[in-house]
Amino acid sequence: MLSARIHRQLPGPNWKYNNWDKVDPAELFSKALTEKKEANPKLNMVKFLQSCWASRSRGCRSCPSATAAGAEALSWFTTAWMPGQELALRRRELGGRLSPPPLTDVAAAPGCHRRVLDAIEPVMSKGNGRERSVYRAKFSSITDTDIWNAMNCLGEPNRNEALSVDARQELDLRIGCAFTRFQTKYFQGKYGNLDSSLISFGPCQTPTLGFCVERHDKIQSFKPETYWVLQAKVFKGKDSPLTLDWNRVRVFDKDVGQMFVNLTKTFWEAQKMYLIPLSIQVESVSKKEKAKQRPQALNTVEMLRVASSALGMGPQHTMQIAERLYTQGYISYPRTETTHYPENFNLKGTLEQQTNNPFWAEEFFLFCYSTGSEGWRLYDYITRHFIATVSQDCKYLQTTIDFNIGTEAFSCSGKTLISPVDEIKLLEKQTSPPDYLTEAELITLMEKHGIGTDASIPVHINNICQRNYVTVENGRKLKPTNLGIVLVHGYYKTDAELVLPTIRSAVEKQLTLISLGKANYQQVLQHTLDIFKRKFHYFVDSIPSMDELMEVSFSPIAATGKPLSRCGKCHRFMKYIQAKPSRLHCSHCDETYSLPQNGAIKLYKELRCPLDDFELVLWTSGARGKSYPLCPYCFSNPPFRDMKKGMGCNECTHPSCQHSLNSLGIGQCVECDSGVLVLDPISGPKWRMACNKCNVVVHFFEHAHRVQVAQESCDACDASLVAVDFNKTRTPLPAGETQHTGCVFCDLVFQDLVELKHATMRHRGGGARRGGRGRGRGRRGNPKKPKDKMAALAAYFV
């Protein structure tokens, strides 16, 4: 429900830590405060829990916290239980035909219940001087039986487990932020074709990448070696010949191999000479009953491995599907480390319900079909695995035949022997290199070395893919990119412990001791941060040696890109670098300026920013999207305290600039709470205004000659008035009028000329609050009944 992050409070001393340019990353190890914020603020989960408790508890001083089981804090499922509150299950009832095949039961989710309690403790009753009681309900499946069993077996929350999760979050946050900020700024400021918007580092992510590059290095350094194999083929009648296995397997000397061929052929020729029937001498025939043990209960890591290797589904995608199946009530909790079923789990009852329908209920199939075939395939695997765990071991009969051809021994298994000899020859082969790591193999390595938890392993693998460190090839094989290879080699060159799994494994052992109450949370946290802070300083001092590898593989930023706009300092042309992350670079000043991503950049009428004299550029997401101008310097260096890094002119609070929000802002967005609709001054003749926060676009006044934002405001809604000048031959105004000034929200003349749409775009710009003249309330501030088309749209979206 909550996620840790560097403190983002603007007022006060900590707001500066949000700015990469003004803070030494080393300060993030200790000086920057941290806070926990809702992972999805739009859900308002904290306020919801508090309001539920305040309205339903009626002064109760006990709080059972019911959370799904797991080793990590959850962001996707959490609920608080109040006395007398009825249980509502998000589960489809299929007349008893469906029962969730379990993964396994697990220990408590220490982070999740702690977050629930943190949210509601401030509003719990404090009267009567009685001590407040808090209990924990644990469950791994949202069936009626499991839920009620959990509520009837409440236990005390384990604070040590929650502290262990908190320590892991804070360590990963501080270490990752410090290293990521430094190396991102350093390398993106020097090279123009890195093809990665973020050169990230993570205590778990980087060793994960290290495993992939280690396999790549073995492939590259592999030298094939020639060897020889004695191949014998036998056949019977017209049947296809059967190739026999040589017991010596192979030899690495050709002359030795030829000797064995000669010996075998000598025996063959002797049989012909003395008219002996050509046959193979059978030494033994053995039949042995063998058994394949039934699988253990399915845990998360095994599910991820099989989904990747057998189903072709990535780990992150698999977890998303599994969590959706869980919340729908079709499987038990998908984040689990153990391979044992709980003692009170009704294995027989669950198995009996599976026998009623071979496809586990038609309704479920239709559900999976509507959300993609992956849901059905994963559910099918989990169900079959569950059935296998409660089945008998698989028994089979294996037949092995050993025989000789002259002096050489051969064998075959599970097949009927055929004679006579058809062919004996010496084959030349070469040893082959290992293949690239598959996701399944990587998951095994991560589990073996203690890199990540069952819940975070998919995240780490997904991160190295998204950051362009590896690519997923056919067969779910992970092939490192040039950037990923250079990074890992650079870490080895500066400090190998940054990429080896050893130090992270040691940290995980300390975190486990915290959860067991055998280690002090604060001491482990401080000791680990001290170690990585020293490593960070050494890394900064040693960065030139890593840079030597980078300069061999990537082009200097000064030699990349094409001239676009003039620098406000030296007035020379800066180069536009399109490779991610797109940016502008002034080679004369040796300065690099960030730009909005996932769109096109072009010069904006050679106009200049009144604050710094930089030429403005225009960002656009396409003909059906939205666009806005921006100053490259202001975009990276916000000029006003109420602005954040990454804002364009449509969010700038300059009081008089003709490009700013104050000059072009019209009214509050009709859909989002914080956005302002801003006139796009170059959109004519298909004029539009767009929200500076969300993707709402409002088309109006098509074919107008000129559209301008007036200084006056609407008396009804406080939005800025708009002055429109139409061509006299195409004017839609009554009585052939060509000019009219009014409110786009309230004016009856404009009501049929306004149309709301959503932009086709992939980027949402960062945001600041509106500024100046009280603009932006729009229809939200209008106390009157909506009269026009725009107001109706606003009322609908609200």
Side-chain angles (χ1 to χ4, degrees):
M1 182 175 67
L2 302 178
S3 59
R5 61 185 66 186
I6 291 296
H7 202 291
R8 302 180 69 90
Q9 180 183 354
L10 284 178
N14 295 294
W15 69 272
K16 65 177 183 178
Y17 293 108
N18 236 15
N19 192 319
W20 288 30
D21 299 315
K22 296 183 178 179
V23 176
D24 182 353
E27 295 184 25
L28 302 181
F29 283 100
S30 55
K31 293 184 179 180
L33 300 178
T34 62
E35 65 178 359
K36 289 183 172 62
K37 304 181 74 172
E38 292 187 64
N40 188 349
K42 293 184 178 180
L43 292 178
N44 291 317
M45 184 59 69
V46 173
K47 290 183 179 179
F48 169 74
L49 293 174
Q50 291 177 347
S51 63
C52 285
W53 177 262
S55 62
R56 303 186 186 186
S57 62
R58 295 188 180 93
C60 291
R61 303 181 58 79
S62 62
C63 171
S65 170
T67 54
E72 288 286 356
L74 310 179
S75 61
W76 54 273
F77 182 81
T78 182
T79 181
W81 293 83
M82 321 303 174
Q85 180 180 356
E86 293 295 324
L87 170 66
L89 289 177
R90 293 182 60 196
R91 176 173 178 249
R92 296 193 177 194
E93 297 297 340
L94 300 176
R97 291 177 292 168
L98 173 67
S99 179
L103 290 163
T104 55
D105 186 33
V106 298
C112 187
H113 81 268
R114 185 67 254 171
R115 304 295 175 253
V116 174
L117 298 181
D118 288 343
I120 66 173
E121 277 184 333
V123 298
M124 290 179 69
S125 176
K126 300 179 181 179
N128 303 328
R130 292 181 297 167
E131 184 177 348
R132 291 176 295 182
S133 300
V134 176
Y135 302 98
R136 178 79 200 283
K138 304 177 185 179
F139 58 90
S140 61
S141 175
I142 52 176
T143 61
D144 304 62
T145 302
D146 286 350
I147 296 294
W148 289 118
N149 285 342
M151 294 302 294
N152 291 327
C153 301
L154 298 176
E156 295 288 333
N158 191 326
R159 175 175 169 79
N160 292 326
E161 290 179 342
L163 288 175
S164 176
V165 173
D166 286 345
R168 182 184 289 107
Q169 281 188 334
E170 185 165 347
L171 287 173
D172 290 351
L173 174 69
R174 292 186 181 276
I175 296 168
C177 283
F179 278 89
T180 297
R181 287 189 182 190
F182 171 74
Q183 63 185 28
T184 297
K185 286 189 62 181
Y186 185 88
F187 291 122
Q188 285 187 351
K190 294 194 67 175
Y191 303 102
N193 58 340
L194 289 178
D195 288 333
S196 181
S197 57
L198 193 71
I199 314 298
S200 63
F201 175 94
C204 289
Q205 171 195 300
T206 302
T208 301
L209 174 62
F211 290 131
C212 300
V213 176
E214 181 184 20
R215 176 63 64 87
H216 169 83
D217 291 341
K218 289 181 180 179
I219 295 172
Q220 297 301 310
S221 61
F222 182 84
K223 294 182 179 179
E225 190 175 0
T226 303
Y227 65 91
W228 287 264
V229 174
L230 186 59
Q231 184 186 78
K233 289 185 178 181
V234 295
F235 76 98
K236 182 179 181 181
K238 298 181 180 180
D239 294 342
S240 299
L242 175 68
T243 301
L244 306 180
D245 298 323
W246 188 29
N247 283 13
R248 296 182 189 273
V249 184
R250 61 185 178 181
V251 295
F252 288 89
D253 189 307
K254 184 177 182 180
D255 293 336
V256 173
Q258 189 60 50
M259 176 192 71
F260 287 122
V261 172
N262 294 339
L263 287 173
T264 305
K265 286 188 174 181
T266 299
F267 168 75
W268 190 2
E269 293 297 329
Q271 286 185 314
K272 289 182 178 180
M273 182 181 298
Y274 295 103
L275 303 177
I276 300 174
L278 299 178
S279 63
I280 299 173
Q281 181 179 349
V282 177
E283 290 295 313
S284 64
V285 178
S286 60
K287 294 185 178 183
K288 186 176 182 181
E289 185 178 286
K290 291 190 174 183
K292 183 176 181 181
Q293 190 175 7
R294 64 178 181 266
Q296 293 180 309
L298 186 62
N299 63 12
T300 306
V301 174
E302 183 63 18
M303 179 185 71
L304 297 175
R305 269 197 292 258
V306 174
S308 176
S309 60
L311 304 181
M313 295 162 52
Q316 181 82 344
H317 186 48
T318 300
M319 283 304 302
Q320 291 171 351
I321 295 173
E323 288 169 358
R324 188 170 69 245
L325 292 175
Y326 169 69
T327 55
Q328 294 288 337
Y330 296 110
I331 64 172
S332 61
Y333 186 54
R335 295 185 182 181
T336 170
E337 298 173 351
T338 182
T339 56
H340 299 283
Y341 294 126
E343 294 182 0
N344 61 350
F345 182 73
N346 187 2
L347 288 172
K348 184 177 180 181
T350 303
L351 186 63
E352 286 176 348
Q353 293 186 28
Q354 297 293 340
T355 63
N356 295 335
N357 191 313
F359 294 100
W360 303 290
E362 180 183 356
E363 290 88 342
F364 176 76
F365 179 79
L366 293 176
F367 159 74
C368 289
Y369 183 78
S370 65
T371 59
S373 60
E374 290 88 352
W376 169 254
R377 293 169 62 218
L378 184 61
Y379 179 81
D380 178 84
Y381 161 66
I382 293 173
T383 305
R384 293 179 187 276
H385 187 103
F386 163 65
I387 295 173
T389 63
V390 294
S391 302
Q392 297 293 329
D393 292 346
C394 175
K395 295 181 180 180
Y396 60 95
L397 187 67
Q398 177 173 297
T399 302
T400 302
I401 303 176
D402 298 311
F403 50 88
N404 291 338
I405 303 177
T407 61
E408 290 310 295
F410 295 82
S411 65
C412 67
S413 298
K415 299 174 181 177
T416 303
L417 182 63
I418 306 170
S419 61
V421 176
D422 174 50
E423 179 182 49
I424 297 178
K425 63 181 180 180
L426 192 65
L427 295 182
E428 179 179 320
K429 297 184 177 181
Q430 283 191 328
T431 55
S432 58
D435 208 339
Y436 285 104
L437 279 180
T438 63
E439 285 175 335
E441 292 171 330
L442 179 58
I443 291 169
T444 300
L445 285 173
M446 294 174 70
E447 182 187 33
K448 175 183 177 181
H449 293 279
I451 302 301
T453 65
D454 56 350
S456 65
I457 283 175
V459 177
H460 302 315
I461 297 176
N462 187 61
N463 282 343
I464 64 174
C465 296
Q466 287 190 335
R467 305 282 159 77
N468 195 34
Y469 296 160
V470 300
T471 58
V472 181
E473 307 288 322
N474 290 336
R476 307 299 302 181
K477 297 173 185 175
L478 300 173
K479 183 177 180 180
T481 64
N482 197 26
L483 176 59
I485 295 168
V486 172
L487 283 176
V488 170
H489 289 174
Y491 295 137
Y492 273 115
K493 197 172 182 180
T494 55
D495 183 356
E497 285 190 337
L498 293 177
V499 70
L500 290 173
T502 50
I503 191 169
R504 181 62 188 195
S505 297
V507 170
E508 285 294 339
K509 291 178 181 178
Q510 294 299 310
L511 296 175
T512 301
L513 292 178
I514 293 177
S515 67
L516 297 175
K518 297 180 179 180
N520 181 271
Y521 158 78
Q522 197 60 47
Q523 290 177 350
V524 171
L525 183 65
Q526 192 58 51
H527 177 67
T528 306
L529 287 175
D530 288 343
I531 291 176
F532 274 94
K533 186 175 183 178
R534 289 195 293 269
K535 286 184 172 295
F536 175 79
H537 286 297
Y538 182 78
F539 179 73
V540 172
D541 294 339
S542 307
I543 199 66
S545 62
M546 187 175 183
D547 194 29
E548 291 175 357
L549 301 176
M550 299 290 287
E551 65 184 9
V552 173
S553 302
F554 301 102
S555 303
I557 195 169
T560 310
K562 58 182 181 180
L564 180 66
S565 66
R566 292 184 183 272
C567 171
K569 298 178 180 179
C570 66
H571 300 289
R572 290 178 170 85
F573 277 103
M574 297 186 293
K575 286 187 174 181
Y576 171 44
I577 300 167
Q578 289 183 285
K580 288 186 176 180
S582 59
R583 54 206 187 275
L584 286 168
H585 177 73
C586 178
S587 56
H588 183 265
C589 301
D590 195 22
E591 293 282 351
T592 303
Y593 303 99
S594 301
L595 293 171
Q597 304 300 304
N598 302 319
I601 294 287
K602 58 184 180 181
L603 192 62
Y604 186 60
K605 303 179 181 179
E606 297 185 354
L607 298 173
R608 295 177 181 268
C609 175
L611 293 172
D612 48 51
D613 209 31
F614 273 71
E615 280 190 334
L616 302 182
V617 295
L618 183 76
W619 177 88
T620 177
S621 61
R624 299 182 61 187
K626 69 178 188 179
S627 59
Y628 58 84
L630 63 107
C631 167
Y633 187 84
C634 294
F635 191 82
S636 302
N637 304 275
F640 304 111
R641 188 65 175 269
D642 61 346
M643 292 181 62
K644 296 178 182 178
K645 187 175 181 179
M647 292 184 174
C649 297
N650 63 342
E651 295 181 85
C652 176
T653 54
H654 191 290
S656 59
C657 176
Q658 61 176 322
H659 317 295
S660 71
L661 171 64
N662 273 12
S663 298
L664 298 177
I666 295 177
Q668 183 176 341
C669 178
V670 298
E671 184 165 329
C672 69
D673 293 326
S674 57
V676 177
L677 293 170
V678 182
L679 174 66
D680 185 344
I682 66 163
S683 57
K686 296 184 179 181
W687 296 92
R688 62 192 175 191
M689 55 180 176
C691 178
N692 60 6
K693 298 289 179 129
C694 69
N695 64 344
V696 164
V697 174
V698 177
H699 293 260
F700 54 7
F701 315 132
E702 187 171 355
H703 304 304
H705 177 65
R706 184 183 296 108
V707 176
Q708 293 179 310
V709 181
Q711 293 293 320
E712 298 79 15
S713 299
C714 175
D715 294 333
C717 69
D718 201 31
S720 295
L721 302 184
V722 175
V724 186
D725 185 0
F726 284 99
N727 186 292
K728 62 181 180 180
T729 61
R730 307 191 69 174
T731 179
L733 299 179
E737 295 290 332
T738 59
Q739 296 180 346
H740 184 76
T741 299
C743 175
V744 296
F745 301 101
C746 308
D747 195 292
L748 296 178
V749 176
F750 286 160
Q751 65 179 353
D752 293 327
L753 306 179
V754 179
E755 180 183 6
L756 181 143
K757 291 185 178 180
H758 286 77
T760 303
M761 56 190 304
R762 293 166 292 175
H763 168 76
R764 294 189 181 185
R769 296 184 182 276
R770 66 184 187 275
R773 294 192 291 164
R775 276 189 197 153
R777 282 190 351 191
R779 297 307 306 180
R780 302 288 177 92
N782 185 6
K784 300 180 180 180
K785 183 179 180 181
K787 297 179 181 179
D788 56 13
K789 183 178 181 181
M790 197 65 195
L793 283 170
Y796 172 79
F797 279 101
V798 172

